[in-house]
Amino acid sequence: MANQSRFTPGILKKARWHIQDNQVTPESVFKARRHIVKAMGLGAIGASVPGYVQAGLFDLFGEQPKTSFITTPLTFEANGRFGKDEVLTPVDKVTTHNNFYEFGTSKQDPSDNAQQFKVDPWQLRIEGEVERPMTLDYQDLTKLFPLEERIYRLRCVEAWSMVIPWVGFPLAALLKKVGVTSKGKYVAFETAFEPEQMPGQKSRLMGGGIHYPYVEGLTIAEAMNELTLMSVGLYGKTLPPQNGAPIRLVVPWKYGFKSIKSIVRIRVMDKQPPTSWNQLAPHEYGFYANVNPAVDHPRWSQASERRIGEGGLFSAKRIDTQPFNGYGEFVASLYEGMDLRQFY
């Protein structure tokens, strides 16, 4: 079902992703906090915060973006197996605190710079070790596969996290549609290469030094796992461009950079594909990138995380990080016998 409310006879029931009224920080309070922090100066904040929690910290108080991209309601069914007891991250945080270096390296750059990004027409090519290579447009993807809502935790490698209601379909359904051959061992993904629309692809400084197009990869077992989702929306509507419109990957037990955005190509391969962050800094970003509190990033601990909620910097809750981001019951068997310190 879609839209912000669901109806049963005589009862108006809010959708599950609606936060309660008492969980909302009034806009005036939010702005006042931001003003106080700015008045303190970023240096004062940096001096008071341990180094291992500074990654991405200051971007929490960016100005609200001027949005012009129009998202539309989706029709879907809620999948109650996932995240039913989670407190959702407010949608304004989900859409303004983003890593999408194609639009800039600051957390707010994507929402500022992506609003004119064109997602129609859009084509996704699936090829490689498949029996039926095909090219699908956005309408094909949303018609061929029933959409469902899943509430997943998102854990960034920078040690912050969110809880997001995604709308999409299992990647396994798409792979079954094209038919993976016996040689298919890995799945490679590629983001759109549109330097005229994506300023980070034109500038190595603005684009974080990444060699574009951005590429990612999974083993075929990871790709076929029931958790792995191709998302076309969040909070009941189509994806905004800063969150990876029109279609992206969501792999909730891995660090967020594995969930590649704005995908145009999927290639099933017989060997492990290169990945962008592994190419840029292999000693920091492995191919697997499973959330693991026992394996620190070389520059900060991964033992805990800041859960971004309704407030700002001072209200972000610090919680223990769970192995596989808490999804071990679904995915731990994929890595039995594997040294997760070596294969990080």
CSV table of all heavy atoms in Angstrom, one decimal, residues 277-298:
chain,number,residue,atom,x,y,z
A,277,TRP,N,36.0,1.9,-3.7
A,277,TRP,CA,36.7,2.2,-2.5
A,277,TRP,C,37.9,1.3,-2.2
A,277,TRP,O,38.9,1.7,-1.7
A,277,TRP,CB,35.8,2.2,-1.3
A,277,TRP,CG,35.0,3.5,-1.2
A,277,TRP,CD1,33.7,3.7,-1.6
A,277,TRP,CD2,35.5,4.8,-0.8
A,277,TRP,NE1,33.4,5.1,-1.4
A,277,TRP,CE2,34.5,5.7,-0.9
A,277,TRP,CE3,36.8,5.2,-0.3
A,277,TRP,CZ2,34.7,7.1,-0.6
A,277,TRP,CZ3,37.0,6.6,0.0
A,277,TRP,CH2,35.9,7.5,-0.1
A,278,ASN,N,37.8,0.0,-2.6
A,278,ASN,CA,38.9,-0.9,-2.5
A,278,ASN,C,40.0,-0.5,-3.4
A,278,ASN,O,41.2,-0.6,-3.1
A,278,ASN,CB,38.4,-2.3,-2.8
A,278,ASN,CG,39.5,-3.3,-2.7
A,278,ASN,OD1,40.0,-3.9,-3.6
A,278,ASN,ND2,40.0,-3.5,-1.4
A,279,GLN,N,39.7,0.0,-4.6
A,279,GLN,CA,40.7,0.5,-5.5
A,279,GLN,C,41.4,1.8,-5.0
A,279,GLN,O,42.6,1.9,-5.1
A,279,GLN,CB,40.1,0.8,-6.9
A,279,GLN,CG,39.7,-0.4,-7.7
A,279,GLN,CD,39.1,0.0,-9.0
A,279,GLN,OE1,38.3,0.9,-9.1
A,279,GLN,NE2,39.6,-0.6,-10.1
A,280,LEU,N,40.7,2.6,-4.3
A,280,LEU,CA,41.2,3.9,-3.8
A,280,LEU,C,42.1,3.7,-2.6
A,280,LEU,O,43.1,4.3,-2.4
A,280,LEU,CB,40.0,4.8,-3.5
A,280,LEU,CG,40.4,6.3,-3.1
A,280,LEU,CD1,41.1,7.0,-4.3
A,280,LEU,CD2,39.2,7.0,-2.6
A,281,ALA,N,41.6,2.8,-1.6
A,281,ALA,CA,42.3,2.6,-0.4
A,281,ALA,C,42.1,1.2,0.1
A,281,ALA,O,41.3,0.9,1.0
A,281,ALA,CB,41.8,3.6,0.7
A,282,PRO,N,42.8,0.2,-0.5
A,282,PRO,CA,42.6,-1.2,-0.2
A,282,PRO,C,42.9,-1.6,1.2
A,282,PRO,O,42.3,-2.5,1.8
A,282,PRO,CB,43.5,-1.9,-1.2
A,282,PRO,CG,44.5,-0.9,-1.6
A,282,PRO,CD,43.8,0.4,-1.6
A,283,HIS,N,43.8,-0.8,1.9
A,283,HIS,CA,44.1,-1.1,3.3
A,283,HIS,C,43.0,-0.7,4.3
A,283,HIS,O,43.0,-1.1,5.4
A,283,HIS,CB,45.4,-0.5,3.7
A,283,HIS,CG,45.4,1.0,3.6
A,283,HIS,ND1,45.2,1.7,2.5
A,283,HIS,CD2,45.4,1.9,4.6
A,283,HIS,CE1,45.2,3.0,2.7
A,283,HIS,NE2,45.3,3.2,4.0
A,284,GLU,N,42.0,0.1,3.8
A,284,GLU,CA,40.9,0.6,4.6
A,284,GLU,C,39.6,0.0,4.2
A,284,GLU,O,38.7,-0.1,5.1
A,284,GLU,CB,40.8,2.1,4.5
A,284,GLU,CG,42.0,2.9,5.1
A,284,GLU,CD,41.8,4.4,5.2
A,284,GLU,OE1,40.7,4.8,4.8
A,284,GLU,OE2,42.7,5.1,5.6
A,285,TYR,N,39.4,-0.4,3.0
A,285,TYR,CA,38.1,-0.8,2.5
A,285,TYR,C,38.2,-2.1,1.7
A,285,TYR,O,38.6,-2.1,0.5
A,285,TYR,CB,37.5,0.3,1.6
A,285,TYR,CG,37.4,1.6,2.3
A,285,TYR,CD1,38.3,2.6,2.0
A,285,TYR,CD2,36.5,1.9,3.3
A,285,TYR,CE1,38.3,3.9,2.6
A,285,TYR,CE2,36.4,3.1,3.9
A,285,TYR,CZ,37.4,4.1,3.6
A,285,TYR,OH,37.3,5.3,4.2
A,286,GLY,N,37.9,-3.2,2.3
A,286,GLY,CA,37.9,-4.5,1.7
A,286,GLY,C,36.8,-4.7,0.8
A,286,GLY,O,35.8,-4.0,0.7
A,287,PHE,N,36.8,-5.9,0.1
A,287,PHE,CA,35.7,-6.2,-0.8
A,287,PHE,C,34.4,-6.5,-0.1
A,287,PHE,O,33.4,-6.1,-0.5
A,287,PHE,CB,36.1,-7.4,-1.7
A,287,PHE,CG,35.0,-7.9,-2.6
A,287,PHE,CD1,34.7,-7.3,-3.8
A,287,PHE,CD2,34.2,-9.0,-2.2
A,287,PHE,CE1,33.7,-7.8,-4.6
A,287,PHE,CE2,33.2,-9.5,-3.0
A,287,PHE,CZ,32.9,-8.8,-4.2
A,288,TYR,N,34.6,-7.2,1.1
A,288,TYR,CA,33.4,-7.7,1.8
A,288,TYR,C,32.7,-6.6,2.5
A,288,TYR,O,31.5,-6.4,2.5
A,288,TYR,CB,33.7,-8.9,2.7
A,288,TYR,CG,34.0,-10.1,1.9
A,288,TYR,CD1,35.3,-10.4,1.5
A,288,TYR,CD2,33.0,-10.9,1.4
A,288,TYR,CE1,35.6,-11.5,0.7
A,288,TYR,CE2,33.2,-12.0,0.6
A,288,TYR,CZ,34.5,-12.3,0.3
A,288,TYR,OH,34.8,-13.4,-0.5
A,289,ALA,N,33.5,-5.8,3.3
A,289,ALA,CA,32.9,-4.6,4.0
A,289,ALA,C,31.7,-5.0,4.9
A,289,ALA,O,30.7,-4.2,5.0
A,289,ALA,CB,32.5,-3.5,3.1
A,290,ASN,N,31.7,-6.2,5.5
A,290,ASN,CA,30.7,-6.5,6.5
A,290,ASN,C,30.8,-5.7,7.8
A,290,ASN,O,31.9,-5.5,8.3
A,290,ASN,CB,30.8,-8.0,6.8
A,290,ASN,CG,30.4,-8.9,5.7
A,290,ASN,OD1,29.5,-8.6,4.9
A,290,ASN,ND2,31.2,-10.0,5.5
A,291,VAL,N,29.7,-5.2,8.3
A,291,VAL,CA,29.7,-4.5,9.6
A,291,VAL,C,30.3,-5.4,10.6
A,291,VAL,O,29.8,-6.5,10.9
A,291,VAL,CB,28.3,-4.0,9.9
A,291,VAL,CG1,28.4,-3.3,11.3
A,291,VAL,CG2,27.8,-3.0,8.9
A,292,ASN,N,31.4,-5.0,11.2
A,292,ASN,CA,32.1,-5.8,12.2
A,292,ASN,C,32.7,-5.0,13.3
A,292,ASN,O,33.7,-4.3,13.1
A,292,ASN,CB,33.2,-6.6,11.5
A,292,ASN,CG,33.7,-7.7,12.4
A,292,ASN,OD1,33.6,-7.7,13.6
A,292,ASN,ND2,34.4,-8.7,11.8
A,293,PRO,N,32.1,-5.0,14.5
A,293,PRO,CA,32.6,-4.1,15.6
A,293,PRO,C,34.0,-4.6,16.1
A,293,PRO,O,34.7,-3.8,16.8
A,293,PRO,CB,31.6,-4.3,16.7
A,293,PRO,CG,30.9,-5.6,16.4
A,293,PRO,CD,30.9,-5.7,14.9
A,294,ALA,N,34.4,-5.8,15.7
A,294,ALA,CA,35.7,-6.3,16.2
A,294,ALA,C,36.9,-5.9,15.3
A,294,ALA,O,38.0,-6.2,15.6
A,294,ALA,CB,35.6,-7.8,16.3
A,295,VAL,N,36.5,-5.3,14.1
A,295,VAL,CA,37.6,-4.9,13.2
A,295,VAL,C,37.5,-3.4,13.0
A,295,VAL,O,36.6,-2.9,12.3
A,295,VAL,CB,37.4,-5.7,11.8
A,295,VAL,CG1,38.5,-5.2,10.8
A,295,VAL,CG2,37.5,-7.2,12.0
A,296,ASP,N,38.4,-2.7,13.6
A,296,ASP,CA,38.4,-1.3,13.5
A,296,ASP,C,38.8,-0.8,12.1
A,296,ASP,O,39.6,-1.5,11.4
A,296,ASP,CB,39.4,-0.6,14.5
A,296,ASP,CG,39.0,-0.8,15.9
A,296,ASP,OD1,37.8,-1.1,16.1
A,296,ASP,OD2,39.8,-0.7,16.8
A,297,HIS,N,38.3,0.3,11.7
A,297,HIS,CA,38.8,1.1,10.5
A,297,HIS,C,40.2,1.5,11.0
A,297,HIS,O,40.4,1.8,12.1
A,297,HIS,CB,37.9,2.2,10.2
A,297,HIS,CG,38.3,3.0,9.0
A,297,HIS,ND1,39.3,3.9,9.0
A,297,HIS,CD2,37.9,2.9,7.7
A,297,HIS,CE1,39.4,4.4,7.8
A,297,HIS,NE2,38.6,3.8,7.0
A,298,PRO,N,41.2,1.6,10.1
A,298,PRO,CA,42.5,2.1,10.5
A,298,PRO,C,42.5,3.4,11.2
A,298,PRO,O,43.5,3.7,12.0
A,298,PRO,CB,43.3,2.1,9.2
A,298,PRO,CG,42.6,1.1,8.3
A,298,PRO,CD,41.1,1.2,8.7
